[in-house]
Amino acid sequence: AAPDVRWRVVRRRCEAVLRARGVDGDVSAILRKALRPTWNDDVASVTNGERAAIATCVLGSEVWRTRVERERACVRAGGWREASEALDACGGGEDAREIVLMYWCGKERLGAREGTMPDEGALVEMYGECVRTLVEAVKEENLTWTNEISEKFSLPARLANMFVDEYGADEAGKLAQAMNTRGPVVCRVNAARGASKAEVIEMLKAEGVGDIEDAFAHLVPGAFWLKDGAPANGGIYGSKTWVDGFYEVQDEGSQLIAASVDAAPGDVVLDACAGNGGKTLALASSMLGVGKICAFDVDKRRLKHLLANIERAQVRNIVEALENIGSLDELPAASFDAVLVDAPCSSVGALRRTPSLRYTHDDPYELAKIQLEILRRASRLVKPNGGRLIYATCSVVSIENQNVARAFEAHHADFAPWPFETPVPTSPNVALHEHERLLLPHVLGTDGFYISRWKRD
């Protein structure tokens, strides 16, 4: 444990966040407030080390919520009287107190950075000698499972069962474990600014950013990895190199989606579900400032963020945010060389980025209906004679992926599969066609994504 961390202060702040969250609240939003120097009635100003420990515990206990609940149940019903009495003595029967306590007792939680968890000595100082019994009780050999993938890897039972149905129990466990690790900070060079990757990396090093390497999946030439995470002073958004538009933070799998469009200088491209514009900016980078990209999203608030980003990335000359267009149906037919449908989805491929998503994601079955309808409407906008249509999600379940692609193909014979030239490693338990890619965290180290693409006759 870090020597400058006052664990009682951290404990008090973490318990308060979990109380404020309730059952289904957004723990990330509450955490942002709780990381302020003082918060609510807690007048103790927190240090940077304590902020890191608070964030680790709050987000970690959200990731591990299902497992922690199983650990509590095992302690209560496992016949280990000393452990049950220790939980009563240390946790006092209150959910927030017991969750923080039990999270800390699992000393080797995946994703916890060094120095952000109290060691056993710090636990004893806070809770007393009885806590040692709990540390022993939550070791894996002392636990039993009613649904191993769900409880061991801390996924809601329905999602865990989906993973098992898709990949089999063994691989579902590997996928779930990868979802519980901290996602890497991966960046993309903005080629529209005219600097090479090597030059951008030198700019970052001049700012004091530490270890930088090629992104480990080696899927996209412009990707690089900040091995030590975001810069300590000011984070990513305090980096002058970022402020000047030379790079963006973007998972390598997300970069590959944009690369799959094969956008070239002079193209006219539609980003049909642009959101905040991460892939819009990647497309603009590959087009080197020549051509046109139209960015559409039904949520116009998100396009406001895009407007600021395109100014910073200096691609305003080729990107147009369609703020006054209410529907894809308002756009002229056969008007785009390429259309990207990065569809709204459950986002279960990106659980390591947003811990609460495992409990709050939308229903994949309902989303599939929406995704197919968006894809159908967008297909009308693709030029014939070789126009490209690309469908993507950040999901890893076939309900939103292969099933949607097959349903589209069944009613759009004028769109032929557009194969990828090189295969990408994926699950051996999933059958894909040459025009599909399934990116998986436990295979590639990226977030989870699906891509399918076609060309129009």
Side-chain angles (χ1 to χ4, degrees):
D4 64 331
V5 172
R6 296 165 298 169
W7 289 107
R8 291 183 185 275
V9 172
V10 172
R11 171 187 169 185
R12 187 167 64 239
R13 192 74 64 101
C14 291
E15 291 173 354
V17 172
L18 296 184
R19 290 187 195 104
R21 181 203 66 190
V23 178
D24 294 316
D26 183 352
V27 72
S28 299
I30 301 167
L31 176 63
R32 285 193 290 273
K33 298 177 182 178
L35 292 179
R36 295 169 182 169
T38 58
W39 177 62
N40 283 357
D41 296 329
D42 193 343
V43 296
S45 182
V46 291
T47 66
N48 286 337
E50 288 160 356
R51 283 190 181 90
I54 292 165
T56 294
C57 179
V58 169
L59 296 178
S61 63
E62 185 74 355
V63 169
W64 292 99
R65 187 200 304 183
T66 300
R67 172 151 178 165
V68 165
E69 288 301 327
R70 182 59 192 165
E71 291 171 354
R72 290 170 75 189
C74 287
V75 167
R76 296 284 189 207
W80 192 341
R81 183 171 58 83
E82 293 86 351
S84 182
E85 290 175 350
L87 182 56
D88 288 336
C90 298
E94 192 213 356
D95 273 356
R97 291 180 66 184
E98 288 192 359
I99 289 169
V100 171
L101 165 64
M102 295 297 282
Y103 174 73
W104 277 341
C105 283
K107 294 191 294 183
E108 295 181 357
R109 303 289 188 198
L110 285 173
R113 288 179 176 170
E114 185 178 355
T116 61
M117 294 276 282
D119 58 24
E120 195 163 322
L123 288 174
V124 169
E125 185 179 344
M126 279 190 285
Y127 296 103
E129 286 291 333
C130 63
V131 79
R132 296 188 193 275
T133 306
L134 285 177
V135 171
E136 184 67 24
V138 300
K139 289 181 178 178
E140 196 153 303
E141 61 265 26
N142 295 321
L143 301 173
T144 59
W145 316 113
T146 61
N147 180 330
E148 183 171 354
I149 301 302
S150 171
E151 294 164 353
K152 182 176 181 179
F153 300 105
S154 201
L155 293 173
R158 185 178 185 226
L159 183 57
N161 293 340
M162 283 185 186
F163 284 1
V164 172
D165 290 344
E166 295 275 343
Y167 301 102
D170 182 63
E171 190 174 10
K174 294 175 183 176
L175 173 60
Q177 185 174 32
M179 297 290 192
N180 292 335
T181 60
R182 186 182 297 274
V185 179
V186 179
C187 304
R188 173 186 56 77
V189 171
N190 177 17
R193 291 289 278 116
S196 68
K197 180 162 74 172
E199 290 170 331
V200 172
I201 288 173
E202 286 305 312
M203 293 179 198
L204 283 167
K205 287 182 176 179
E207 291 189 57
V209 178
D211 208 352
I212 304 175
E213 289 189 5
D214 278 349
F216 36 80
H218 302 290
L219 299 174
V220 184
F224 61 93
W225 173 31
L226 305 186
K227 291 187 69 175
D228 295 332
N233 298 321
I236 292 293
Y237 307 116
S239 159
K240 184 177 187 303
T241 310
W242 180 84
V243 170
D244 290 343
F246 283 99
Y247 76 98
E248 303 294 334
V249 178
Q250 186 175 27
D251 185 81
E252 195 172 1
S254 178
Q255 294 183 46
L256 186 62
I257 290 174
S260 299
V261 178
D262 202 20
D267 276 348
V268 180
V269 179
L270 173 66
D271 188 351
C273 304
N276 293 336
K279 296 176 186 69
T280 305
L281 294 179
L283 292 168
S285 175
S286 64
M287 291 168 65
L288 302 176
V290 181
K292 182 176 182 181
I293 304 170
C294 294
F296 173 83
D297 200 280
V298 292
D299 186 348
K300 304 307 178 190
R301 293 171 300 177
R302 302 188 75 187
L303 291 182
K304 298 291 185 185
H305 294 288
L306 169 61
L307 289 172
N309 285 331
I310 61 180
E311 292 289 351
R312 179 180 51 78
Q314 299 188 20
V315 292
R316 189 72 182 89
N317 61 313
I318 67 166
V319 178
E320 178 185 1
L322 301 178
E323 296 179 275
N324 299 318
I325 299 294
S327 166
L328 292 176
D329 296 339
E330 298 176 36
L331 296 171
S335 53
F336 293 95
D337 298 298
V339 174
L340 170 61
V341 178
D342 180 24
C345 67
S346 65
S347 300
V348 295
L351 295 183
R352 61 187 187 176
R353 305 290 179 185
T354 310
S356 300
L357 263 180
R358 65 189 61 210
Y359 307 106
T360 61
H361 67 81
D362 292 329
D363 182 2
Y365 289 95
E366 292 301 316
L367 285 165
K369 301 171 187 176
I370 298 168
Q371 291 157 349
L372 182 58
E373 181 61 18
I374 295 172
L375 190 56
R376 183 188 68 79
R377 290 173 181 265
S379 67
R380 181 185 66 88
L381 306 174
V382 179
K383 290 180 181 179
N385 302 315
R388 289 111 58 201
L389 177 64
I390 299 86
Y391 173 71
T393 73
C394 53
S395 175
V396 292
V397 292
S398 58
I399 300 157
E400 302 179 81
N401 296 340
Q402 299 97 304
N403 292 8
V404 172
R406 300 295 172 270
F408 173 77
E409 291 166 351
H411 295 93
H412 294 81
D414 54 332
F415 282 85
W418 175 25
F420 289 98
E421 293 181 3
T422 56
V424 168
T426 190
S427 166
N429 297 318
V430 176
L432 296 175
H433 296 300
E434 290 183 346
H435 66 294
E436 296 175 293
R437 281 176 168 168
L438 179 62
L439 314 180
L440 296 169
H442 66 292
V443 176
L444 292 168
T446 65
D447 291 339
F449 293 98
Y450 170 80
I451 314 167
S452 186
R453 64 183 193 172
W454 306 269
K455 283 188 176 181
R456 193 172 192 178
D457 294 341

